[in-house]
Amino acid sequence: MSKKKVMIFGCGGMLGKAVYEKFKERYDVLATDIDVNETWLEYLDVRDLNAILKRVADFGPGLLINLAALTDLEYCEKHPQEAWLTNALGQENIALAGQKFDIACVYVSAASVFDGKQEFYNDADNPKPVNVYGKGKYYGEVVTQQMLKKYFIFRAGWMMGGGIKKDKKFINKIFKQVSAGAKELFVVEDKHGTPTYTVDFASSMYNIVQGDFYGLYNMVCTGSASRYEVAKEFIKCLGLEKEVKINPVNSAYFEKEYFAPRPKSEKLINLKLQKRGMLYMREWKECLAEYAQVLKKEKLKHASHKDAEPQRKE
Ligand SMILES: NC(=O)c1ccc[n+]([C@@H]2O[C@H](COP(=O)([O-])OP(=O)(O)OC[C@H]3O[C@@H](n4cnc5c(N)ncnc54)[C@H](OP(=O)(O)O)[C@@H]3O)[C@@H](O)[C@H]2O)c1
């Protein structure tokens, strides 16, 4: 019997790595991105509807997964039209392809669709985004729900994963600082959320799309924390708690660098997944411990490759 086919958009990023690795075990995968940073990636821009329709028609997938996004909040604030074209219209284009060829679609949304005034948000709470990125992600949710019957929307929290090369977010920013020798860190304690490990997210997505319980789901690691608590736990996982001091600060400390408005709380609850017996996400601390080991191994490997390189004579 021939393998099932899946086409993935924006697969070159931190989540794409885990999704590709999970799906390639059983699927024939066509992985695409505008950043062709792997041999298994093909160039495709989600802003280009005709290119999407043509490639979907040629490949004939049974599932479309959209991971393409501009996820840098400050970049999105500075370039609202570009952010909308990728984060919102990109998803509308993929939903159009799903509609035209009657293919189920997966859209990955974010906790940033909420305004952060509540402490916790379940799947049914009303989105009210406070920044350009969140507005684009919310548009993507709405258009998917309006256009398609067969869709899965999975809302992620603070993403962690992908390794040194691909992780653009908080954990790798901390890892880079300590790898460069920082002995003191400053981390905000007034922002709260739910870490989401790419490996768990990808395998949970894989399990759920085998069935047909379509709809919108919050899908984050269990538990929640402030940025400060996550940083403290991460430093502990790296075994550096005696060497690195972490100072809790207020968001105002970083207001120039991180000027995009951010919700105070982005804590999601996996209410629907839990009630339907489909909660496959582990606790964030367990995932973070695993990811810390991945980063440490990658760093060692990188260092040993460097040592093995022939030294250039002056
Ligand atoms: N990262 C988070 O904290 C987070 C949290 C919640 C939800 N999410 C969602 O999770 C999904 C995956 O994001 P990620 O965390 O893996 O981010 P990522 O590492 O930035 O990956 C996104 C990928 O999409 C690519 N891309 C950008 N514009 C594109 C376009 N027009 N056409 C095709 N590909 C394009 C990016 O390329 P470039 O690198 O060249 O831009 C990147 O390779 C996104 O839907 C995101 O909104 C992310």
Side-chain angles (χ1 to χ4, degrees), residues 9-17 32-35 37 41 43-48 66-72 85-87 90 107-112 133 137 154-160 166-169 196 198 201 227:
F9 304 85
C11 199
M14 55 193 284
L15 178 58
K17 183 172 186 275
T32 69
D33 202 293
I34 49 165
D35 179 7
N37 55 45
L41 279 169
Y43 181 86
L44 205 148
D45 186 337
V46 295
R47 293 166 296 187
D48 186 343
N66 183 19
L67 311 176
L70 294 174
T71 60
D72 182 321
L85 287 174
T86 299
N87 297 346
Y107 173 61
V108 178
S109 188
S112 329
Y133 171 72
K137 296 307 294 180
F154 297 118
R155 284 195 192 124
W158 292 342
M159 202 72 87
M160 53 186 195
K166 297 203 173 189
D167 183 344
K168 297 170 180 153
K169 293 292 170 174
T196 305
T198 55
F201 194 88
R227 289 280 186 204

Side-chain angles (χ1 to χ4, degrees), residues 144-155:
T144 302
Q145 289 167 309
Q146 284 173 351
M147 290 173 64
L148 300 171
K149 284 209 177 79
K150 293 188 290 179
Y151 67 83
F152 297 96
I153 297 173
F154 297 118
R155 284 195 192 124

Side-chain angles (χ1 to χ4, degrees), residues 182-184 235 239-245:
K183 296 287 175 236
E184 194 172 14
I235 293 299
L240 294 174
E241 64 267 55
K242 290 209 175 93
E243 288 159 53
V244 178
K245 183 174 177 235

Side-chain angles (χ1 to χ4, degrees), residues 206-226:
Y206 178 89
N207 290 335
I208 294 167
V209 303
Q210 303 311 313
D212 54 7
F213 293 151
Y214 298 113
L216 181 153
Y217 296 93
N218 286 355
M219 194 160 83
V220 292
C221 281
T222 59
S224 58
S226 67

